[in-house]
Amino acid sequence: MKESRSRKRGSRLYYRILGGIFALLFLVFFVLNLVLPDRTLSVREKRMLSGFPAPQIDRVLAGDYSGDFEDYASDQIPFREFFTDLKVFADSLVGRNESQGVYRGRDGRLIEKMETPDDAVVSRTVSAMRRFAGLFPLPQQLILVPNAVSILADELPLWAPTADQHEFSESIAAQLEGSGIGFKDLETALLTAGLDGIPLYYRTDHHWTTDAALACAPAVLKTLGRSFTGKGSLLPVTHDFSGSLSAKSGLSMRERDTISVWQPDEEPVCLVTDSAGKRAGLYSWDGLNSSDPYTVFLGGNEGLVRVETDRIGAGRLLVFKDSYFNCFLPFLTAEFETIDVVDPRYYSGDLLMLMRQNEYDQILYFYNINTFAADTSLALVLGEAAEQEGGQ
Amino acid sequence: MNRNNLRARLPYLLTAAVLAVLTIVFLLSRRPVGSTDSSEPAGRIYVSEAAERAAAEAQAKIREARQSAAAASAEAASSGTPASSGTPAASDPAASPSADPGPDVPSETASVPPASSEAELLLASLREQVRTLDIALFSPEELASWRRRFDNAVFIGDSLSQAFISYGFFDEDHVKYKRSASISQLDDQIQAAIDRLPDTVIFFTGLNDVSFFINDPTQYYEAYLEKVNQVHSALPNAQIFVISLLPCSDALAASDYHLARSPEFDAQLKRLDPSSPARYLDCHWLVRQELYLDDGIHFTESFYTLLIQYLALETGL
């Protein structure tokens, strides 16, 4: 009797405490949400956080407002980083090793998975390139860099589903046949380099390393009709690089990568012009101290960067590229007088005017396969120029 | 009884223990590894003075190399030897398999010494166009070549300069403007222009200053002088031009006493020519009443077409 009563009392206390804590949690977070100021930038995730959505009647009626508000609430929740860590930790306990399209491979290496490419998107890009090549019959090459997901397939988690990059690049080669656009897939060069034990990809980032770029430089320059002398050395500039894959997935947050840069023995005089002004030299060293040290290569996301060197008469090159090209650029500077680097994702200028203003000798398309397979901006930029030219 | 009690609490205790262990493991797993995240956003934030100097040096070296290449190819052409390519001037033999021989050697440098008669011809044609108002706009190809010639120039000014962008002549990189601003309010634009390390800086401002300095036109001169010197001290090798202060339309001048005083201000601007590193470019002869927009202050595309050609002539671009 007595025992059961005390037990009853005990359990009543237990439920009280439980309920109390539960209610308290709500209250505490409610108050914290009100009191703490909104943050705008997540340094760790390398993105802007959503701000408070001003209620607009049309969005409320369309039913979008609650979605906006949810984004805001989840971006601005107090201790956000703690909770994302908690989720990743809980996931790892139950054996999940994929988050936001990123796999955690053997010994913690992060590998971005490749989505199955949309044939319509890809063929639009390729036909835009063909049309552009028809209007500007310059020597031109497409160079595709395979990603870690195919080169380091051994390190993927067992049976991780992903698209086949080798097959993809073969289909691109077939589609470019007879267009006057040369095609080069760096798969062999990278696989060979991998056998030599060269680290090809960052462990926490989706980019290839400068080591890998160096290993591919002879092949690329040969495609461009140049030769690579290879006199220089790789200089590690930071050991504290936590890359975008880590940021995106929340996995391997404690891993740090090393970024190296290529230092040629005989550095050409080199002037880089981008939206922020002009600077001398191949690298923007300020980038190393920013939240994204990869910006040491070519700065941040720029639509058009012009690189001028003192190799007068060595030719003028136009490059359409994604960020894989950023660390490759230094291998080209000794071989060209001017290199104009266009990233179609951020380019808002007039491509046709650019073509007319500068008599380019050569065009280079330089993409990693993941980006090329999903990219829509290249087709847009090329198509716009082709339309203007064709319309006249 | 104790044992019973314990047995009854065992599930709670076990749960608590497991939770405690997990918590400890979790907290250990997120122990910070030397905080490296700086709060600065990605990308370049500012350019240090040393970096600015390095960039200027690199630009000078490249220009020198270009000029010597152009000179070499001109020499080769005049001596009749078939120069195989621009290689003799290329400082490094590594750049051997150059895809292009001489022809593309920068047209700007090749055209630096234009026959003076050619310039006179162009001037005459401009005058004729102003007189007859039969003004030929640029074809896309011509526009491209004008842009190439002005590639190392930057315009600084107010809405009059902005028109270079609005009419599609030049882009934001080559025109730094602030609408309705006085010359004394253009510090950001001047800095942005300096950051581009141009060879040529052209000031083109309008009537905003007339109302800004209405009490004392000499202050207008002083403000301008200060800005010109600012540019000159940052870019000692750059040539600086100041386009004359163009009047408003006659119709507007008749009704606006302030704006009608603009010639007084233009006279002040003219003083810059002898007393500062800047050259004053008198463009009054380009102004015709028909070339004003309806507001009587701004000008039409045709006017700018002529202006650009005249500027190229005067600046040697």
Side-chain angles (χ1 to χ4, degrees):
Chain A
M1 262 324 255
K2 198 175 158 200
E3 183 197 323
S4 83
R5 197 181 303 144
S6 88
R7 201 192 236 174
K8 217 180 212 166
R9 196 179 300 142
S11 68
R12 203 178 291 149
L13 187 67
Y14 171 79
Y15 287 120
R16 265 187 203 155
I17 292 174
L18 192 67
I21 289 176
F22 194 62
L24 206 65
L25 270 181
F26 272 98
L27 201 69
V28 165
F29 273 90
F30 175 68
V31 171
L32 280 179
N33 263 325
L34 285 185
V35 170
L36 291 178
D38 282 357
R39 288 148 302 167
T40 50
L41 176 84
S42 167
V43 175
R44 189 159 119 173
E45 291 166 80
K46 300 188 170 67
R47 70 182 182 92
M48 305 304 284
L49 299 174
S50 21
F52 183 78
Q56 289 163 323
I57 292 198
D58 51 335
R59 285 196 68 78
V60 173
L61 289 183
D64 296 330
Y65 185 75
S66 64
D68 294 348
F69 195 87
E70 243 167 63
D71 288 345
Y72 163 71
S74 71
D75 271 6
Q76 300 292 354
I77 191 169
F79 319 118
R80 180 178 159 77
E81 294 188 356
F82 172 85
F83 285 114
T84 47
D85 282 352
L86 188 63
K87 177 180 184 302
V88 168
F89 177 69
D91 278 351
S92 74
L93 282 185
V94 296
R96 280 189 62 174
N97 46 19
E98 190 252 327
S99 158
Q100 313 272 358
V102 177
Y103 289 120
R104 173 158 42 197
R106 305 263 163 82
D107 54 63
R109 172 189 290 281
L110 301 185
I111 299 179
E112 192 175 29
K113 97 194 228 187
M114 184 189 183
E115 301 295 341
T116 311
D118 181 346
D119 287 336
V121 169
V122 175
S123 72
R124 206 178 307 142
T125 305
V126 173
S127 63
M129 286 169 64
R130 293 186 69 121
R131 181 149 177 235
F132 195 72
L135 289 170
F136 298 96
L138 302 169
Q140 42 197 297
Q141 267 78 33
L142 167 64
I143 287 175
L144 285 185
V145 187
N147 299 94
V149 71
S150 90
I151 299 294
L152 302 178
D154 292 352
E155 300 196 20
L156 280 175
L158 204 55
W159 298 317
T162 180
D164 186 346
Q165 296 206 324
H166 182 76
E167 192 184 301
F168 175 79
S169 90
E170 272 180 351
S171 86
I172 296 290
Q175 290 181 59
L176 283 177
E177 201 103 321
S179 62
I181 305 173
F183 178 78
K184 175 87 187 162
D185 178 4
L186 294 179
E187 188 183 11
T188 330
L190 282 173
L191 285 174
T192 319
L195 291 179
D196 293 340
I198 294 172
L200 297 177
Y201 298 90
Y202 295 110
R203 296 170 60 81
T204 62
D205 195 80
H206 66 288
H207 290 109
W208 61 341
T209 60
T210 316
D211 307 62
L214 172 62
C216 292
V220 174
L221 281 156
K222 200 173 155 220
T223 320
L224 292 173
R226 314 279 161 136
S227 59
F228 180 61
T229 51
K231 289 193 189 112
S233 49
L234 286 174
L235 212 68
V237 289
T238 176
H239 299 290
D240 248 348
F241 176 43
S242 173
S244 62
L245 291 184
S246 197
K248 186 170 157 190
S249 66
L251 298 167
S252 300
M253 290 304 298
R254 302 178 60 196
E255 283 249 11
R256 288 296 181 267
D257 270 311
T258 299
I259 294 182
S260 303
V261 300
W262 170 248
Q263 187 60 51
D265 288 344
E266 281 176 59
E267 195 177 334
V269 176
C270 186
L271 183 70
V272 180
T273 311
D274 59 22
S275 63
K278 302 193 181 195
R279 75 185 137 83
L282 297 171
Y283 303 105
S284 75
W285 298 113
D286 298 345
L288 280 181
N289 305 321
S290 74
S291 59
D292 184 5
Y294 193 78
T295 54
V296 70
F297 302 110
L298 262 190
N301 296 328
E302 295 277 347
L304 171 66
V305 180
R306 163 164 297 182
V307 183
E308 291 161 280
T309 72
D310 61 348
R311 305 291 150 92
I312 308 302
R316 305 167 70 85
L317 177 71
L318 174 65
V319 185
F320 298 96
K321 60 95 195 178
D322 62 20
S323 54
Y324 266 51
F325 181 75
N326 294 11
C327 75
F328 191 81
L329 174 73
F331 300 107
L332 292 178
T333 45
E335 300 296 328
F336 291 92
E337 178 187 340
T338 309
I339 306 176
D340 278 353
V341 183
V342 171
D343 192 328
R345 287 169 296 181
Y346 311 108
Y347 184 66
S348 56
D350 182 346
L351 178 61
L352 187 59
M353 189 48 85
L354 193 72
M355 296 291 299
R356 282 186 179 139
Q357 254 172 285
N358 304 281
E359 289 131 0
Y360 296 111
D361 302 310
Q362 240 172 321
I363 299 177
L364 172 66
Y365 298 93
F366 198 105
Y367 278 88
N368 76 75
I369 292 185
N370 267 349
T371 311
F372 189 78
D375 181 76
T376 52
S377 55
L378 179 62
L380 221 64
V381 168
L382 292 180
E384 216 168 75
E387 218 142 87
Q388 283 175 35
E389 175 79 355
Q392 277 164 18
Chain B
M1 194 175 89
N2 250 348
R3 201 184 297 147
N4 268 346
N5 220 346
L6 190 66
R7 191 179 294 161
R9 291 194 175 153
L10 201 55
Y12 299 116
L13 290 177
L14 274 180
T15 316
V18 168
L19 280 178
V21 168
L22 284 179
T23 311
I24 290 167
V25 171
F26 171 62
L27 289 180
L28 283 180
S29 83
R30 66 187 301 273
R31 190 187 48 188
V33 229
S35 165
T36 58
D37 286 342
S38 76
S39 54
E40 287 171 46
R44 289 186 303 135
I45 299 115
Y46 74 105
V47 182
S48 71
E49 232 169 82
E52 231 168 64
R53 213 173 312 123
E57 270 166 28
Q59 176 155 349
K61 274 186 201 157
I62 289 171
R63 195 177 310 144
E64 216 169 89
R66 274 199 192 139
Q67 273 159 7
S68 72
S73 77
E75 218 169 83
S78 65
S79 67
T81 46
S84 58
S85 77
T87 35
S91 54
D92 195 313
S96 46
S98 118
D100 61 304
D104 109 308
V105 172
S107 49
E108 337 118 37
T109 42
S111 65
V112 156
S116 68
S117 64
E118 214 172 284
E120 278 161 21
L121 271 177
L122 178 59
L123 201 55
S125 127
L126 289 181
R127 283 187 197 289
E128 185 63 16
Q129 288 184 56
V130 173
R131 197 180 60 81
T132 60
L133 287 175
D134 180 16
I135 298 164
L137 298 180
F138 296 142
S139 72
E141 285 77 15
E142 282 172 328
L143 182 56
S145 102
W146 285 111
R147 283 193 183 178
R148 200 177 332 161
R149 288 172 71 168
F150 279 87
D151 198 31
N152 277 323
V154 176
F155 290 89
I156 302 172
D158 53 15
S159 53
L160 284 184
S161 290
Q162 186 198 11
F164 284 117
I165 299 177
S166 330
Y167 290 132
F169 291 115
F170 303 117
D171 58 16
E172 275 89 354
D173 288 341
H174 295 88
V175 183
K176 305 294 178 191
Y177 69 89
K178 185 166 157 196
R179 292 182 60 99
S180 353
S182 150
I183 180 68
S184 55
Q185 297 166 330
L186 290 173
D187 281 337
D188 292 349
Q189 284 67 32
I190 290 172
Q191 192 51 51
I194 290 173
D195 286 347
R196 292 194 52 80
L197 303 175
D199 298 337
T200 307
V201 177
I202 303 170
F203 284 93
F204 187 18
T205 56
L207 298 163
N208 301 315
D209 278 313
V210 174
S211 39
F212 197 83
F213 294 108
I214 193 69
N215 293 321
D216 186 2
T218 56
Q219 279 179 9
Y220 177 52
Y221 163 76
E222 274 149 24
Y224 236 109
L225 184 65
E226 185 198 328
K227 301 307 170 194
V228 165
N229 284 330
Q230 186 185 337
V231 172
H232 181 67
S233 62
L235 303 166
N237 295 322
Q239 31 176 8
I240 305 170
F241 296 93
V242 176
I243 296 178
S244 52
L245 178 65
L246 301 173
C248 62
S249 70
D250 290 347
L252 187 58
S255 66
D256 190 319
Y257 165 73
H258 280 335
L259 292 183
R261 283 182 58 191
S262 75
E264 278 175 54
F265 288 79
D266 186 45
Q268 293 293 332
L269 210 54
K270 213 174 263 178
R271 289 172 57 202
L272 285 172
D273 206 305
S275 65
S276 84
R279 247 193 77 199
Y280 170 88
L281 291 180
D282 191 343
C283 296
H284 284 93
W285 63 277
L286 289 167
V287 178
R288 291 277 309 262
Q289 294 305 314
E290 291 83 352
L291 295 177
Y292 281 103
L293 294 181
D294 290 341
D295 64 3
I297 288 176
H298 298 102
F299 295 94
T300 61
E301 187 175 358
S302 306
F303 171 83
Y304 281 89
T305 313
L306 299 175
L307 179 65
I308 287 170
Q309 298 177 58
Y310 178 59
L311 286 178
L313 207 62
E314 285 294 327
T315 58
L317 285 171

